[in-house]
């Protein structure tokens, strides 16, 4: 299952250093279909950062499938992230531009996902980066939970 945030969630800086709103409006595509920014729970970030997920749900009102580019994490210190991950298993946080595409505003929805590709930092348009040269690339050490040490500038 996955959890979607409200439109306010696209007006900020993704964990990797991208501007979520600009990336959502950048017109990126996967297999000819629109692709939007998203997040996973922080403990799953190491495996999924920069991956492209195909997310499907019968609860989507317009388009039943959306491609989500993981460029953000739902911080393990945020209660809503912990609560929804614990309750539903795996969290895919689809940002507002993606929710508009599927015709939903917000909410906890059930569906399925699979990894279908990867878009590394070097392929993200320069216009989508917030700036400052701080790019999160991957992790070192225990990348599965609380002891995650992220490396910057790949």
């Amino acid at each position: 299952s996955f959890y979607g945030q409200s439109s306010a969630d696209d007006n900020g800086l993704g964990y990797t250093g991208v501007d979520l709103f600009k990336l959502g409006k950048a017109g990126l595509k996967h297999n000819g279909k629109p692709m939007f920014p998203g997040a996973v729970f922080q403990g799953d970030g190491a495996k999924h950062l920069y991956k492209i997920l195909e997310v499907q749900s019968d609860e989507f009102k317009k388009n039943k499938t959306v491609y989500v580019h993981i460029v953000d994490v739902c911080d393990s210190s945020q209660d809503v992230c912990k609560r929804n991950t614990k309750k539903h298993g795996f969290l895919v946080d689809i940002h507002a531009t993606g929710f508009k595409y599927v015709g939903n505003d917000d909410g906890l929805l059930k569906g399925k996902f699979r990894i279908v590709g990867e878009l590394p930092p070097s392929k993200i348009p320069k216009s989508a980066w917030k700036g400052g040269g701080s790019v999160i690339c991957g992790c070192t050490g225990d990348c599965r939970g609380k002891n995650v040490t992220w490396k910057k500038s790949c």
Side-chain angles (χ1 to χ4, degrees):
S1 64
F2 47 90
Y3 175 75
Q5 296 283 11
S6 68
S7 60
D9 209 27
D10 261 353
N11 296 322
L13 179 66
Y15 190 75
T16 58
V18 297
D19 180 308
L20 297 170
F21 181 76
K22 288 181 182 177
L23 185 61
K25 297 287 189 179
L28 295 177
K29 295 186 182 285
H30 179 75
N31 290 338
K33 301 284 185 183
M35 183 171 58
F36 303 96
V40 294
F41 186 66
Q42 186 173 354
D44 296 313
K47 180 179 178 182
H48 294 91
L49 200 60
Y50 298 112
K51 298 290 193 267
I52 300 167
L53 305 183
E54 178 186 75
V55 179
Q56 297 178 329
S57 176
D58 289 336
E59 296 180 31
F60 290 155
K61 294 176 182 172
K62 281 177 30 182
N63 298 294
K64 300 297 183 187
T65 301
V66 64
Y67 290 103
V68 180
H69 185 217
I70 303 301
V71 292
D72 199 5
V73 295
C74 197
D75 194 315
S76 60
S77 67
Q78 292 178 333
D79 186 52
V80 70
C81 295
K82 286 191 290 191
R83 190 174 57 244
N84 285 319
T85 301
K86 185 176 181 179
K87 183 176 179 181
H88 300 284
F90 190 82
L91 172 82
V92 178
D93 182 348
I94 302 170
H95 289 283
T97 48
F99 256 73
K100 185 175 180 182
Y101 175 77
V102 298
N104 295 61
D105 294 326
D106 196 2
L108 186 60
L109 307 172
K110 293 181 181 173
K112 58 186 178 179
F113 76 95
R114 65 186 180 111
I115 297 172
V116 295
E118 183 172 4
L119 187 68
S122 60
K123 301 288 184 184
I124 295 174
K126 291 188 187 311
S127 62
W129 291 101
K130 195 73 169 181
S134 179
V135 178
I136 305 294
C137 301
C139 76
T140 58
D142 181 1
C143 301
R144 294 169 290 158
K146 294 181 180 180
N147 298 323
V148 176
T149 304
W150 295 92
K151 66 179 183 178
K152 296 183 178 189
S153 301
C154 41

